[in-house]
Amino acid sequence: MELHIAKDPAQLSENVAAWISNYILEVLQSQERFTFVLSGGNTPKQLYSLLAKAPYNMVIPWEKIHFFWGDERDVPFEDERNNARMAFESLLDKVGVNPENIHVMRTDIGPEESAAEYEKVLKSYFGKEDTTFDLVLLGMGDDGHTLSLFPGLPIVHEKKAWVKSFFLEAQDMYRITLTAPVVNKAACVLFLTTGANKAITLKNVIEGTFDAEKFPSQLIRPEEGELHWFVDEAAAGAMEI
Ligand SMILES: O=C1O[C@H](COP(=O)(O)O)[C@@H](O)[C@H](O)[C@H]1O
């Protein structure tokens, strides 16, 4: 695991935009297409907006990138809580991505159907054996959740399904999410985390003993790929480094 600490969220977004852009260009030297899994929430908005501007909008070969989502809130696309909507508004509507390369988790067909459909989308994209995303961008909630893997819920123990839906009582909504085993097949996973409100949880996730029931972000351990944590000083504040 590599830990990268930036001064503040603005500097962090700058660093991550440059890092992602270089990584995409490097990977595309040896393959024709790149798979990028986006996260939702608030933290990545600034990053997406930066990627939509110069120099990144000019240097990234957007037509070669396939976008997927790590999780989705089962609310209509028009709802501002919808993770895909945020990515469209801040990034995808602003750069030249082929609509066929954008693979959203649907919220117009019912959560179970959507999860089953997304698993089919992944299986037809990757083939049955190989689910290796090139890059998975993740966030971490202040409760330690990542994707829609929330503390204390059965979803954290899922070993077989690639995509699952479930009702999240605390937020009175269904969620659709990739599972940890699928994400752990990725070539590279990058967590983006900011804010003092996440400092204790971050310390527990990175430096604490393994307890995935309590801190589901600990489930993310790529089998062969790289794991990077990009955090700001406020989030890193409780760690011993
Ligand atoms: O609910 C969610 O939360 C996490 C973390 O979001 P943040 O606002 O604290 O950055 C996010 O990664 C996930 O995609 C989203 O559905």
Side-chain angles (χ1 to χ4, degrees), residues 15-154:
N15 295 352
V16 176
W19 195 95
I20 286 179
S21 168
N22 288 336
Y23 178 68
I24 290 174
L25 294 174
E26 193 188 309
V27 170
L28 284 175
Q29 281 178 4
S30 54
Q31 61 189 54
E32 280 307 305
R33 60 184 189 175
F34 184 95
T35 49
F36 188 174
V37 178
L38 300 177
S39 64
N42 287 316
T43 316
K45 275 186 201 165
Q46 208 174 354
L47 166 67
Y48 295 166
S49 300
L50 276 178
L51 290 173
K53 288 188 203 141
Y56 309 112
N57 60 345
M58 316 289 281
V59 296
I60 295 174
W62 298 102
E63 73 287 353
K64 294 189 175 176
I65 303 188
H66 282 254
F67 289 94
F68 295 85
W69 272 263
D71 73 316
E72 188 53 276
R73 298 150 177 186
D74 190 42
V75 294
F77 184 80
E78 297 70 36
D79 189 308
E80 62 179 22
R81 295 168 296 173
N82 186 284
N83 284 339
R85 178 197 158 124
M86 185 277 278
F88 270 87
E89 280 181 350
S90 52
L91 173 64
L92 302 174
D93 282 341
K94 298 181 177 162
V95 292
V97 184
N98 180 349
E100 283 173 13
N101 292 5
I102 301 177
H103 311 277
V104 297
M105 289 176 164
R106 290 179 62 180
T107 59
D108 59 340
I109 53 173
E112 261 185 56
E113 294 78 0
S114 174
E117 193 211 65
Y118 212 62
E119 187 150 331
K120 274 193 206 145
V121 167
L122 295 180
K123 286 187 173 159
S124 99
Y125 185 91
F126 287 108
K128 285 204 164 76
E129 305 303 326
D130 182 8
T131 57
T132 314
F133 293 114
D134 293 307
L135 177 61
V136 180
L137 179 67
L138 295 178
M140 183 194 75
D142 50 15
D143 60 356
H145 86 268
T146 189
L147 301 156
S148 284
L149 311 179
F150 286 85
L153 298 187

Side-chain angles (χ1 to χ4, degrees), residues 3 23 51 64 76 81 88 112 122-123 126 128 137 162 166 175 177 192 203 208-209 212-214 219 230 238 241:
L3 178 66
Y23 178 68
L51 290 173
K64 294 189 175 176
R81 295 168 296 173
F88 270 87
E112 261 185 56
L122 295 180
K123 286 187 173 159
F126 287 108
K128 285 204 164 76
L137 179 67
W162 294 9
F166 66 95
R175 294 283 190 135
T177 188
L192 189 63
K203 178 185 170 58
T209 46
E213 272 276 320
K214 226 169 154 185
L219 288 166
F230 280 85
I241 34 99

Side-chain angles (χ1 to χ4, degrees), residues 185-215:
K185 297 247 185 273
C188 182
V189 179
L190 192 160
F191 272 94
L192 189 63
T193 304
T194 62
N197 58 321
K198 295 184 179 173
I200 301 292
T201 305
L202 185 65
K203 178 185 170 58
N204 281 317
V205 168
I206 292 185
E207 295 177 343
T209 46
F210 184 80
D211 184 353
E213 272 276 320
K214 226 169 154 185
F215 303 110

